[in-house]
């Protein structure tokens, strides 16, 4: 029995569609309705099982308020890098993080913060926590200093 495996680029484009859709808080059903297909078809697109034609990809981009090129972008190069046996080069940690549940939740919450000072404070806090984490268990005191900056 010959099982059809998704093409690596189709899978990558599908994952980018899924990420963008989830970032916007849109359901598969809603996207399907907007582009004129069933939600099962959207599932197949997102998994890379079914290929997406150019006109359909253009419509998906419109509905998701982005450009078709967004679905092919990766990392700093701006283009999908393919290596080896046709598999995408997953070296962009930001893109990988955005495909996780935590990444989506964090992004949605952060985007709701309008105050630029609060955003900067959060960035500084997370940066400091990441640095403390990378230094190991001896960094517990500096993490406490961040949690209670006024010595409370």
């Amino acid at each position: 029995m010959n099982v059809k495996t998704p093409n690596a680029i189709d899978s990558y484009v599908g994952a980018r569609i899924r990420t963008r859709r989830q970032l916007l808080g849109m359901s598969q059903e809603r996207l399907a309705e907007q582009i004129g297909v069933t939600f099962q078809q959207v599932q197949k697109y997102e998994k890379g099982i079914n290929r997406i034609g150019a006109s359909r990809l253009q419509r998906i981009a419109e509905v998701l308020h982005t450009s078709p090129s967004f679905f092919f972008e990766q990392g700093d190069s701006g283009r999908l890098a393919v290596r080896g046996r046709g598999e995408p080069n997953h070296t962009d940690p930001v893109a990988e993080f955005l495909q996780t549940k935590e990444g989506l939740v964090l992004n949605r919450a952060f985007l709701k913060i309008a105050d630029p000072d609060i955003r900067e404070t959060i960035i500084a806090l997370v940066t400091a926590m990441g640095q403390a984490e990378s230094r190991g268990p001896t960094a517990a005191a500096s993490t406490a200093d961040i949690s209670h900056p006024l010595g409370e």
Side-chain angles (χ1 to χ4, degrees), residues 116-136:
D117 292 332
I118 293 174
R119 283 181 175 223
E120 286 181 33
T121 302
I122 291 170
I123 291 168
L125 173 65
V126 173
T127 301
M129 291 173 73
Q131 290 170 346
E133 186 80 16
S134 67
R135 287 191 299 254

Side-chain angles (χ1 to χ4, degrees), residues 97-146:
F97 177 67
L98 287 175
Q99 292 179 5
T100 67
K101 182 177 180 178
E102 294 86 1
L104 290 170
V105 170
L106 186 60
N107 259 305
R108 283 189 193 134
F110 189 79
L111 290 172
K112 290 179 182 177
I113 301 169
D115 187 330
D117 292 332
I118 293 174
R119 283 181 175 223
E120 286 181 33
T121 302
I122 291 170
I123 291 168
L125 173 65
V126 173
T127 301
M129 291 173 73
Q131 290 170 346
E133 186 80 16
S134 67
R135 287 191 299 254
T138 59
S142 60
T143 304
D145 292 341
I146 295 167

Side-chain angles (χ1 to χ4, degrees), residues 9 13 20 26 29 34 38 40 42-43 48 54 59-61 65 70 76 83 91 94 99 124 126 133 135-136 139 142:
I9 294 175
V13 169
R20 180 68 182 171
M26 183 182 290
E29 292 85 359
Q34 295 288 316
T38 64
Q40 292 94 339
V42 170
Q43 287 177 331
R59 179 66 185 137
I60 292 170
H65 309 292
F70 167 82
D76 296 331
R83 64 179 169 157
T91 58
V94 174
Q99 292 179 5
V126 173
E133 186 80 16
R135 287 191 299 254
S142 60

Side-chain angles (χ1 to χ4, degrees), residues 46-61:
E46 290 183 356
K47 291 178 183 176
I49 295 169
N50 286 4
R51 290 189 172 170
I52 306 168
S55 60
R56 173 88 17 97
L57 189 63
Q58 175 67 40
R59 179 66 185 137
I60 292 170

Side-chain angles (χ1 to χ4, degrees), residues 1-20:
M1 190 158 58
N2 185 10
V3 178
K4 180 182 173 189
T5 58
N7 176 283
I9 294 175
D10 293 334
S11 294
Y12 182 81
V13 169
R16 295 283 288 178
I17 290 170
R18 180 176 185 265
T19 299
R20 180 68 182 171

